[in-house]
Each structure stands twice: as structure tokens, then as C-alpha cells.
Amino acid sequence: LKEVELLEGVMLKWADLFKDQTFFLSQISQDALRKTIFPLGDLTKNFVKKIAAEHGLHHVLKKKESMGVCFIGERNFENFLLEYLEPQPGNFVSVEDKKVMGTHKGWFLYTIGQRARLAGLKDAWFVVDKDVSTGDVFVAPSTDHPALYRDLLRTNRVHWIAEEPPVELIRDKMMECHFRFRHQMALVPCVLTLNQDGSVWVTLVKPARAITPGQFAVFYKGDECLGSGKILRMGPSVYTMQQGKNREEGPKKEEIDKIEPAT
């Protein structure tokens, strides 16, 4: 598939889905899109390398790909940030029992879903939430802990590549589509609900892992990239919902017997 159809001002996924750049171009304006050509959009990277080899461009084939932080290469991310930001020490706190599990140099060094290396602990713990006001970074003892999963989020005003929301969304105020919030992650089925201010609520068919405020929710309909909006708010995690349900149901008989043995 070609990435861009200039006459229609539409942006489609690349033929090479592993190198598809629509996620990063989801905020492009119509004015820029109409004046832009992506000649490699309908080619895979392996095919481009084959063309380069046939034309004697062997230095292109030998060039290593950059897998580090863009433009700075392979560097320790924490050390890099602390060169520019003052440390803000805080605590790692268990999301389950609120126990302090360790300390860190700044909440801004961690993102939801990443592993938190806690001194003295062999088991892996993962970041599930952050409290900027206190500096607490909440962690859970499993990469698939329910505190990492949510099925509802809200964006800011969505940037639609076509400049206006899809006709179906305007007409019905709701629309089924797919979205992702990280490059290369599998597309997630969802339902958009349009708000008066141009933002949308995104309801997922099933909870997704490590949704993070500040990331962009990028929307797709078939092969077309519709646009994107920055994630501002998230619904409660699966873990929070489970805890609320347990409180509503009240203690089980076995739990009551532990407190007040039956006579």
C-alpha cells in the first residue's frame, strides 16, 4: 500500500508494517501532507536494500540502525536525563499494600509498564502508576498485574488528518475503529465517543497494558490513519475495579469466621 494518496489527502499504512511511520506522522497537517511525497511507502525495507545492492550502494547495506534514544545513540537513559534535570528523590510504593519498597531519584525517570529495579529484591516489579505531587512511583509484582490494565481513556482535542472528524463520528457521536499508543504495538479495537470540545473517550474492547498519559492515541480505520490525540486521562485499572467489586460484595463467610469464629 502507498502511504499517502496526495489527491485525497489520506495517509495509509506502509507496505512494510514494521517500518510504518504513520504513528509518528499522525499529527501532520493537510497543508503539509498535500506537499509531501513518500516514495518508499509501498516498498519493504528488504526490497529497498535489494535495490541499493543492485546499484552498488554497499555502504547503505553496511550502515547500522540506530536503536538508542534518537539522535544521541546508545546511552543510559537515567544518566542522560539526570544531566539536565535535578534529582527528585521519592519512594517506590507497592500498589497492593502501600508498603514502601525502595527509593528512586525521580518519578520522571520511569514510565508505566517498565521494570523497576528494586535493591535487594530478586523478583521483578513493574511501574503501574505515579503520583507527581508526592513523588511516589507505584509498583506491582508482576508484568501482567491487573493494575497495569485499563479499558478507558480520554484524549485532548483530536487532530484529524482530514481536518474534520469522520462523518460517522459526527453523525452518531460514536464510532468503532482501532488505535495504538506505541509504535509497532498491535492495533486495539475500540469505540470512540466524541465530546463537544473535540476530545474523545476511547473505550477498548478489552483492557490494554501500560496506557500512559502524555502518549498519543493514534486512530485507524482499515488501512487509513485518521489522526491522533494526546492521552490526558485514564479510567480505573482492572485492579482498582476488582478491589471496588470486592468491597461491594463484602467479606466472605470464611473471612468472617477468621475474625469471629462461629460458636
Side-chain angles (χ1 to χ4, degrees), residues 101-139:
M101 305 299 297
T103 60
H104 59 78
K105 296 179 181 179
W107 58 267
F108 50 80
L109 298 173
Y110 300 91
T111 189
I112 294 175
Q114 82 171 85
R115 181 172 179 175
R117 298 188 181 279
L118 305 181
L121 295 181
K122 294 182 180 179
D123 295 334
W125 287 66
F126 294 83
V127 176
V128 299
D129 207 351
K130 299 185 289 185
D131 187 333
V132 177
S133 63
T134 64
D136 289 339
V137 174
F138 295 95
V139 292

Short mmCIF file of all heavy atoms in Angstrom, two decimals, residues 101-139:
data_model
loop_
_atom_site.label_atom_id
_atom_site.label_comp_id
_atom_site.label_asym_id
_atom_site.label_seq_id
_atom_site.Cartn_x
_atom_site.Cartn_y
_atom_site.Cartn_z
N MET A 101 8.78 0.11 49.07
CA MET A 101 9.63 -0.98 48.59
C MET A 101 11.06 -0.53 48.29
O MET A 101 11.94 -1.35 48.06
CB MET A 101 9.03 -1.58 47.32
CG MET A 101 7.58 -2.03 47.46
SD MET A 101 7.39 -3.33 48.69
CE MET A 101 8.35 -4.64 47.96
N GLY A 102 11.28 0.78 48.28
CA GLY A 102 12.61 1.30 47.97
C GLY A 102 12.51 2.77 47.61
O GLY A 102 11.46 3.39 47.77
N THR A 103 13.62 3.33 47.15
CA THR A 103 13.65 4.75 46.79
C THR A 103 14.15 4.92 45.36
O THR A 103 14.78 4.01 44.79
CB THR A 103 14.57 5.54 47.74
OG1 THR A 103 15.90 5.00 47.66
CG2 THR A 103 14.06 5.46 49.18
N HIS A 104 13.86 6.08 44.78
CA HIS A 104 14.30 6.39 43.42
C HIS A 104 14.78 7.85 43.37
O HIS A 104 14.60 8.61 44.33
CB HIS A 104 13.16 6.17 42.42
CG HIS A 104 11.95 7.00 42.69
ND1 HIS A 104 11.88 8.34 42.37
CD2 HIS A 104 10.75 6.69 43.28
CE1 HIS A 104 10.70 8.81 42.73
NE2 HIS A 104 10.00 7.84 43.28
N LYS A 105 15.35 8.25 42.24
CA LYS A 105 15.91 9.59 42.09
C LYS A 105 14.96 10.57 41.41
O LYS A 105 15.29 11.74 41.26
CB LYS A 105 17.22 9.51 41.31
CG LYS A 105 18.32 8.73 42.01
CD LYS A 105 19.58 8.67 41.18
CE LYS A 105 20.66 7.86 41.87
NZ LYS A 105 21.90 7.78 41.04
N GLY A 106 13.80 10.09 40.97
CA GLY A 106 12.86 11.00 40.32
C GLY A 106 11.77 10.24 39.59
O GLY A 106 12.07 9.30 38.83
N TRP A 107 10.52 10.63 39.79
CA TRP A 107 9.39 9.95 39.14
C TRP A 107 9.48 10.05 37.63
O TRP A 107 8.97 9.19 36.90
CB TRP A 107 8.07 10.54 39.63
CG TRP A 107 7.96 12.01 39.39
CD1 TRP A 107 8.28 13.03 40.25
CD2 TRP A 107 7.52 12.65 38.18
NE1 TRP A 107 8.07 14.25 39.67
CE2 TRP A 107 7.60 14.05 38.39
CE3 TRP A 107 7.08 12.18 36.95
CZ2 TRP A 107 7.26 14.99 37.41
CZ3 TRP A 107 6.72 13.11 35.97
CH2 TRP A 107 6.81 14.49 36.21
N PHE A 108 10.11 11.12 37.12
CA PHE A 108 10.20 11.35 35.68
C PHE A 108 11.12 10.35 34.98
O PHE A 108 11.18 10.31 33.75
CB PHE A 108 10.67 12.78 35.40
CG PHE A 108 11.91 13.17 36.17
CD1 PHE A 108 13.17 12.78 35.74
CD2 PHE A 108 11.81 13.93 37.33
CE1 PHE A 108 14.31 13.12 36.44
CE2 PHE A 108 12.95 14.28 38.04
CZ PHE A 108 14.20 13.88 37.60
N LEU A 109 11.84 9.56 35.75
CA LEU A 109 12.75 8.56 35.17
C LEU A 109 12.02 7.28 34.79
O LEU A 109 12.62 6.39 34.18
CB LEU A 109 13.87 8.23 36.16
CG LEU A 109 14.79 9.39 36.56
CD1 LEU A 109 15.73 8.96 37.68
CD2 LEU A 109 15.59 9.87 35.34
N TYR A 110 10.74 7.18 35.15
CA TYR A 110 10.02 5.92 34.97
C TYR A 110 8.74 6.13 34.18
O TYR A 110 8.08 7.17 34.30
CB TYR A 110 9.69 5.31 36.34
CG TYR A 110 10.94 5.03 37.14
CD1 TYR A 110 11.46 5.99 38.01
CD2 TYR A 110 11.63 3.83 36.98
CE1 TYR A 110 12.63 5.75 38.71
CE2 TYR A 110 12.80 3.58 37.68
CZ TYR A 110 13.30 4.54 38.54
OH TYR A 110 14.46 4.31 39.23
N THR A 111 8.41 5.14 33.41
CA THR A 111 7.16 5.17 32.66
C THR A 111 6.35 3.92 33.01
O THR A 111 6.90 2.89 33.40
CB THR A 111 7.43 5.23 31.14
OG1 THR A 111 6.19 5.46 30.46
CG2 THR A 111 8.01 3.94 30.62
N ILE A 112 5.05 4.03 32.88
CA ILE A 112 4.17 2.93 33.23
C ILE A 112 4.48 1.70 32.37
O ILE A 112 4.61 1.80 31.15
CB ILE A 112 2.70 3.35 33.07
CG1 ILE A 112 2.37 4.44 34.09
CG2 ILE A 112 1.77 2.16 33.27
CD1 ILE A 112 0.98 5.02 33.96
N GLY A 113 4.62 0.57 33.04
CA GLY A 113 4.88 -0.68 32.34
C GLY A 113 6.32 -1.14 32.39
O GLY A 113 6.61 -2.32 32.14
N GLN A 114 7.26 -0.22 32.70
CA GLN A 114 8.66 -0.63 32.71
C GLN A 114 9.02 -1.33 34.02
O GLN A 114 8.36 -1.16 35.04
CB GLN A 114 9.58 0.56 32.49
CG GLN A 114 9.86 1.39 33.73
CD GLN A 114 10.96 2.42 33.49
OE1 GLN A 114 10.68 3.51 33.00
NE2 GLN A 114 12.19 2.09 33.86
N ARG A 115 10.10 -2.08 33.97
CA ARG A 115 10.56 -2.78 35.17
C ARG A 115 11.23 -1.79 36.12
O ARG A 115 11.99 -0.92 35.69
CB ARG A 115 11.53 -3.89 34.80
CG ARG A 115 12.04 -4.67 36.01
CD ARG A 115 12.85 -5.88 35.60
NE ARG A 115 13.35 -6.61 36.77
CZ ARG A 115 14.00 -7.75 36.71
NH1 ARG A 115 14.25 -8.31 35.52
NH2 ARG A 115 14.42 -8.35 37.81
N ALA A 116 10.91 -1.89 37.39
CA ALA A 116 11.54 -1.08 38.42
C ALA A 116 12.53 -1.96 39.17
O ALA A 116 12.13 -2.93 39.82
CB ALA A 116 10.49 -0.52 39.38
N ARG A 117 13.79 -1.65 39.06
CA ARG A 117 14.80 -2.47 39.72
C ARG A 117 14.91 -2.04 41.18
O ARG A 117 15.43 -0.96 41.48
CB ARG A 117 16.14 -2.33 39.00
CG ARG A 117 16.07 -2.82 37.55
CD ARG A 117 17.44 -2.85 36.89
NE ARG A 117 17.34 -3.30 35.52
CZ ARG A 117 17.25 -4.57 35.14
NH1 ARG A 117 17.26 -5.53 36.05
NH2 ARG A 117 17.16 -4.89 33.87
N LEU A 118 14.40 -2.87 42.05
CA LEU A 118 14.37 -2.56 43.48
C LEU A 118 15.53 -3.26 44.18
O LEU A 118 15.70 -4.48 44.05
CB LEU A 118 13.04 -3.01 44.09
CG LEU A 118 11.78 -2.45 43.41
CD1 LEU A 118 10.53 -2.95 44.12
CD2 LEU A 118 11.81 -0.93 43.39
N ALA A 119 16.32 -2.48 44.90
CA ALA A 119 17.50 -3.01 45.57
C ALA A 119 17.11 -4.10 46.56
O ALA A 119 16.17 -3.95 47.34
CB ALA A 119 18.23 -1.88 46.30
N GLY A 120 17.85 -5.22 46.49
CA GLY A 120 17.64 -6.30 47.44
C GLY A 120 16.55 -7.27 47.08
O GLY A 120 16.32 -8.25 47.79
N LEU A 121 15.84 -7.02 45.97
CA LEU A 121 14.75 -7.91 45.57
C LEU A 121 15.12 -8.62 44.26
O LEU A 121 15.48 -7.98 43.28
CB LEU A 121 13.44 -7.13 45.39
CG LEU A 121 12.86 -6.49 46.65
CD1 LEU A 121 11.56 -5.77 46.29
CD2 LEU A 121 12.60 -7.53 47.73
N LYS A 122 14.99 -9.93 44.25
CA LYS A 122 15.29 -10.69 43.05
C LYS A 122 14.11 -10.69 42.07
O LYS A 122 14.29 -10.71 40.86
CB LYS A 122 15.65 -12.14 43.42
CG LYS A 122 16.94 -12.26 44.22
CD LYS A 122 17.25 -13.73 44.51
CE LYS A 122 18.54 -13.86 45.30
NZ LYS A 122 18.85 -15.30 45.61
N ASP A 123 12.89 -10.69 42.63
CA ASP A 123 11.71 -10.73 41.77
C ASP A 123 11.51 -9.41 41.05
O ASP A 123 11.86 -8.34 41.56
CB ASP A 123 10.47 -11.05 42.60
CG ASP A 123 10.53 -12.44 43.22
OD1 ASP A 123 11.22 -13.30 42.64
OD2 ASP A 123 9.90 -12.65 44.27
N ALA A 124 10.94 -9.49 39.86
CA ALA A 124 10.71 -8.29 39.05
C ALA A 124 9.44 -7.56 39.48
O ALA A 124 8.40 -8.19 39.66
CB ALA A 124 10.61 -8.69 37.58
N TRP A 125 9.56 -6.26 39.67
CA TRP A 125 8.41 -5.40 39.94
C TRP A 125 8.28 -4.41 38.80
O TRP A 125 9.27 -4.05 38.16
CB TRP A 125 8.60 -4.66 41.27
CG TRP A 125 8.44 -5.54 42.48
CD1 TRP A 125 9.23 -6.57 42.87
CD2 TRP A 125 7.39 -5.45 43.46
NE1 TRP A 125 8.76 -7.15 44.02
CE2 TRP A 125 7.64 -6.47 44.41
CE3 TRP A 125 6.29 -4.61 43.64
CZ2 TRP A 125 6.81 -6.68 45.51
CZ3 TRP A 125 5.48 -4.81 44.74
CH2 TRP A 125 5.72 -5.83 45.66
N PHE A 126 7.03 -3.96 38.56
CA PHE A 126 6.79 -3.10 37.41
C PHE A 126 6.01 -1.85 37.81
O PHE A 126 5.13 -1.90 38.68
CB PHE A 126 6.05 -3.88 36.33
CG PHE A 126 6.86 -5.00 35.74
CD1 PHE A 126 6.93 -6.23 36.37
CD2 PHE A 126 7.59 -4.80 34.58
CE1 PHE A 126 7.71 -7.26 35.85
CE2 PHE A 126 8.37 -5.82 34.06
CZ PHE A 126 8.43 -7.06 34.69
N VAL A 127 6.34 -0.74 37.15
CA VAL A 127 5.68 0.55 37.43
C VAL A 127 4.25 0.51 36.90
O VAL A 127 4.01 0.19 35.73
CB VAL A 127 6.45 1.70 36.76
CG1 VAL A 127 5.71 3.03 36.97
CG2 VAL A 127 7.87 1.79 37.32
N VAL A 128 3.28 0.83 37.77
CA VAL A 128 1.88 0.81 37.37
C VAL A 128 1.23 2.19 37.44
O VAL A 128 0.18 2.43 36.83
CB VAL A 128 1.05 -0.18 38.22
CG1 VAL A 128 1.59 -1.59 38.05
CG2 VAL A 128 1.05 0.20 39.69
N ASP A 129 1.83 3.13 38.18
CA ASP A 129 1.26 4.47 38.30
C ASP A 129 2.27 5.39 38.97
O ASP A 129 3.26 4.93 39.55
CB ASP A 129 -0.04 4.43 39.11
CG ASP A 129 -1.00 5.56 38.75
OD1 ASP A 129 -0.58 6.47 37.99
OD2 ASP A 129 -2.15 5.53 39.20
N LYS A 130 2.02 6.71 38.89
CA LYS A 130 2.90 7.69 39.52
C LYS A 130 2.07 8.80 40.13
O LYS A 130 1.02 9.17 39.59
CB LYS A 130 3.88 8.27 38.49
CG LYS A 130 4.80 7.27 37.85
CD LYS A 130 5.82 7.92 36.95
CE LYS A 130 5.19 8.45 35.67
NZ LYS A 130 6.22 8.99 34.74
N ASP A 131 2.53 9.34 41.25
CA ASP A 131 1.90 10.50 41.88
C ASP A 131 2.93 11.62 41.86
O ASP A 131 3.87 11.64 42.66
CB ASP A 131 1.48 10.17 43.31
CG ASP A 131 0.66 11.30 43.95
OD1 ASP A 131 0.83 12.47 43.55
OD2 ASP A 131 -0.16 11.01 44.84
N VAL A 132 2.76 12.56 40.93
CA VAL A 132 3.73 13.64 40.75
C VAL A 132 3.80 14.52 41.99
O VAL A 132 4.86 15.04 42.35
CB VAL A 132 3.37 14.47 39.51
CG1 VAL A 132 4.33 15.65 39.35
CG2 VAL A 132 3.41 13.60 38.26
N SER A 133 2.67 14.69 42.69
CA SER A 133 2.64 15.60 43.84
C SER A 133 3.46 15.07 45.01
O SER A 133 4.07 15.85 45.75
CB SER A 133 1.19 15.83 44.28
OG SER A 133 0.59 14.61 44.72
N THR A 134 3.50 13.76 45.19
CA THR A 134 4.25 13.17 46.31
C THR A 134 5.58 12.57 45.86
O THR A 134 6.45 12.31 46.69
CB THR A 134 3.43 12.07 46.99
OG1 THR A 134 3.21 10.99 46.07
CG2 THR A 134 2.09 12.61 47.48
N GLY A 135 5.72 12.32 44.57
CA GLY A 135 6.92 11.65 44.07
C GLY A 135 6.87 10.15 44.16
O GLY A 135 7.83 9.47 43.81
N ASP A 136 5.74 9.62 44.63
CA ASP A 136 5.61 8.16 44.75
C ASP A 136 5.48 7.51 43.37
O ASP A 136 4.74 7.99 42.51
CB ASP A 136 4.39 7.79 45.59
CG ASP A 136 4.58 8.10 47.07
OD1 ASP A 136 5.74 8.22 47.51
OD2 ASP A 136 3.56 8.22 47.79
N VAL A 137 6.20 6.42 43.18
CA VAL A 137 6.07 5.59 41.99
C VAL A 137 5.50 4.25 42.45
O VAL A 137 6.13 3.54 43.24
CB VAL A 137 7.43 5.38 41.30
CG1 VAL A 137 7.29 4.39 40.14
CG2 VAL A 137 7.99 6.70 40.80
N PHE A 138 4.30 3.93 41.99
CA PHE A 138 3.63 2.71 42.45
C PHE A 138 4.05 1.52 41.59
O PHE A 138 4.13 1.62 40.36
CB PHE A 138 2.11 2.90 42.40
CG PHE A 138 1.62 3.94 43.36
CD1 PHE A 138 1.42 5.25 42.94
CD2 PHE A 138 1.37 3.62 44.69
CE1 PHE A 138 0.98 6.22 43.83
CE2 PHE A 138 0.94 4.59 45.58
CZ PHE A 138 0.74 5.89 45.16
N VAL A 139 4.31 0.42 42.26
CA VAL A 139 4.83 -0.76 41.58
C VAL A 139 4.00 -1.99 41.95
O VAL A 139 3.34 -2.03 43.00
CB VAL A 139 6.31 -1.00 41.92
CG1 VAL A 139 7.19 0.09 41.33
CG2 VAL A 139 6.51 -1.10 43.44
#
